[in-house]
Amino acid sequence: MADKGHPINIIVGDGAAIPVQKDKGLVNAWSISFVGAVGCIIYLCLSDPEMYWEVLKFLPDGILVTFKVTVASILLALFIGLFTGLGRISENKVINTIASTYVEIVRGIPLLVQLFYIYYALGRFEFLQISELPSAIIAMGVCYGAYMGEVFRAGIISIDKGQGEAARSLGFNKSQTMFMVILPQAWKTILPPVGNEFIALLKDSSLVSILAVADILRRGREFASVTFSYFETYTMVALVYLVITLILSKAVSKMEDRLNYYDRD
């Protein structure tokens, strides 16, 4: 049995991991950052409502699109990552090589280049032409699928081999052992880094604005191009992103604390 008293932390190289705040107490870096960001938004909207408040009212549609892209992309990345992780630990050399090659290639190409390639380069072929939003979701899902593959691989191999041997002795085949015994246990180890990747993906979703997807950054650019108030617009955009990521990082931290609590003896 795996030692429940010592949970294993997954560290995935080359990823855009988000540090989760572990400071205890009422005053810490997270609370200072969050209160400061919210305070700045309130102060700016009160001090110059004709500008900052107008920017803030212009962004909700972009926030919705940002979350839509992020959630859809992370779901696709989880699907790809699961099978990539299984492929990376497969004893079949062909499957293992294919999964490993996918990880190496995708992690070696910047996300921005992948966005351009899927939307513009592949778009020259009529049967591969995809609209802006699906192109953004596919590119981000494929990119983060490589990182998720490493998360799943690390989570699976963290489970004691005796678990698989016990399941096989009870008559489970390989698929049943993996999906009914190993993965349910590995999920507790996998969840925290998945949460971190979700936050990283949300921040990287700002890149989809180059495809004319109306996310937060794109909406900000549209407002600034009309008013020429670039400082005010991008200040508010940055603060909105900061508040969202801080809330999500706190949620991931709480989730990780709860999982660690249930893992204690």
Side-chain angles (χ1 to χ4, degrees):
M1 295 290 288
D3 185 0
K4 292 185 178 180
H6 299 85
I8 299 174
N9 294 322
I10 297 178
I11 300 176
V12 182
D14 297 334
I18 305 299
V20 178
Q21 182 55 252
K22 292 296 182 181
D23 296 343
K24 303 296 182 181
L26 182 62
V27 179
N28 53 47
W30 183 90
S31 63
I32 293 173
S33 301
F34 182 75
V35 173
V38 173
C40 284
I41 292 176
I42 295 174
Y43 171 76
L44 292 173
C45 289
L46 292 176
S47 63
D48 190 358
E50 292 185 1
M51 182 52 62
Y52 290 103
W53 178 241
E54 291 301 318
V55 175
L56 192 59
K57 290 195 300 181
F58 200 73
L59 296 180
D61 290 344
I63 295 174
L64 182 61
V65 171
T66 292
F67 273 101
K68 183 185 298 183
V69 171
T70 303
V71 171
S73 299
I74 202 69
L75 291 176
L76 177 59
L78 285 170
F79 178 80
I80 295 174
L82 171 60
F83 290 99
T84 300
L86 293 174
R88 292 271 281 163
I89 62 174
S90 174
E91 296 178 357
N92 186 305
K93 290 186 177 180
V94 175
I95 295 176
N96 189 292
T97 299
I98 293 173
S100 299
T101 302
Y102 158 71
V103 171
E104 293 300 325
I105 291 176
V106 171
R107 288 170 56 174
I109 302 175
L111 175 55
L112 183 59
V113 176
Q114 295 181 49
L115 284 165
F116 275 121
Y117 191 83
I118 290 177
Y119 184 65
Y120 291 109
L122 295 182
R124 67 173 294 183
F125 304 104
E126 186 174 352
F127 65 95
L128 289 177
Q129 290 180 356
I130 308 174
S131 60
E132 297 86 353
L133 187 60
S135 295
I137 293 171
I138 291 172
M140 298 188 71
V142 169
C143 179
Y144 272 81
Y147 296 104
M148 287 297 180
E150 293 299 279
V151 169
F152 275 100
R153 181 186 65 83
I156 291 170
I157 65 176
S158 71
I159 302 302
D160 191 277
K161 291 183 178 179
Q163 297 290 316
E165 294 171 357
R168 296 299 298 274
S169 69
L170 292 173
F172 287 70
N173 59 35
K174 287 186 177 181
S175 297
Q176 290 173 326
T177 299
M178 179 58 65
F179 287 97
M180 298 177 65
V181 178
I182 303 299
L183 281 175
Q185 295 182 69
W187 194 242
K188 289 184 179 181
T189 308
I190 292 169
L191 268 179
V194 167
N196 288 338
E197 293 295 337
F198 179 83
I199 300 172
L201 198 156
L202 184 141
K203 294 198 299 182
D204 282 346
S205 69
S206 61
L207 294 174
V208 305
S209 63
I210 64 171
L211 303 185
V213 176
D215 68 328
I216 298 173
L217 181 58
R218 179 71 182 187
R219 293 289 284 171
R221 289 173 59 185
E222 291 172 356
F223 187 88
S225 65
V226 174
T227 63
F228 299 101
S229 303
Y230 292 99
F231 176 81
E232 294 84 353
T233 300
Y234 290 122
T235 296
M236 188 60 68
V237 167
L239 289 170
V240 168
Y241 269 116
L242 179 58
V243 169
I244 293 173
T245 55
L246 285 171
I247 292 174
L248 292 176
S249 68
K250 176 59 71 172
V252 171
S253 178
K254 292 294 184 182
M255 176 188 66
E256 188 171 2
D257 288 343
R258 183 175 291 272
L259 290 174
N260 290 337
Y261 174 80
Y262 287 119
D263 280 337
R264 296 172 186 168
D265 289 330

